[in-house]
Amino acid sequence: AAREEMRHAVENQNRDPAKGTTIMAPPWAMVFVESSASLGADAHMGRSIAQLAGERGVAPGDFALDLALADDFATKLRWRMDTPEWSSAVETSQRDPRIIIGTSDGGAHLAKDDQADWSSYFLATWVRERKVWSLEEGVHQITLMPANLLGLPDRGSLKVGGWADIMIFDADTIGPWRKEFVNDLPGGGGRYRAYGHGVHATIVNGQPIVLEGKL
């Protein structure tokens, strides 16, 4: 009975404030598994709860609850809002000259998803896949453009005498992959570590600090 009640609440938006919140729950087609002890990354990566449930011939709500039980309620889920309406609004806003590409509060809440992989997502989605920007324009938007706006004339471009802060990536494969929660901050504090595809080297002031994903 409890399972049926929860599933119904998710799939049927409440419109009566007297009965509780009227905010729509994330649709199953937009909810993805971020981490699961019982379901490996290769088994769920890139597929929504709706897709995973469909592959198994069960209702999405039942699949989500079964997965939570199998993981002893340690399952982490991610809600993606990439609807056609959302994409159209984001495309319009990012082309506005008053907008800087990026995330507004990255790092403000390390124990939650801080969207640290926004730049590889931007290059993969808005540059390579949707072609809203050319590769040169996309790189310019996340390097020299913010540097100039912030009054940092010696950053954001490659030039003789510059700081040689460089990221070397493959334009055909650059993109986010997965995240995991790690407790590697002082005092055992936790944060999300993001992993991506297509980044070969990160160089700071001419000194390589990450090569092929390794410090």
Side-chain angles (χ1 to χ4, degrees), residues 39-45 47 52 55-56:
L39 191 66
D42 291 340
H44 67 72
M45 192 58 60
R47 297 199 296 284
L52 292 168
E55 293 170 2
R56 292 158 175 79

Side-chain angles (χ1 to χ4, degrees), residues 79-161:
W79 174 20
R80 298 180 183 172
M81 299 176 288
D82 198 355
T83 63
E85 294 80 7
W86 181 88
S87 294
S88 176
V90 172
E91 178 175 347
T92 298
S93 63
Q94 68 180 271
R95 295 308 298 259
D96 190 298
R98 297 166 294 182
I99 293 291
I100 303 175
I101 303 295
T103 54
S104 62
D105 60 350
H109 39 70
L110 292 178
K112 296 182 175 65
D113 181 6
D114 64 359
Q115 300 179 343
D117 52 358
W118 70 266
S119 56
S120 58
Y121 170 82
F122 170 72
L123 292 171
T125 302
W126 296 104
V127 174
R128 184 178 66 241
E129 297 174 7
R130 299 179 180 175
K131 303 186 186 306
V132 172
W133 307 90
S134 69
L135 180 61
E136 294 81 2
E137 289 172 336
V139 171
H140 175 76
Q141 285 295 318
I142 61 176
T143 54
L144 187 59
M145 176 67 75
N148 285 343
L149 288 170
L150 293 170
L152 304 173
D154 56 353
R155 303 283 178 164
S157 65
L158 296 176
K159 58 187 177 184
V160 175

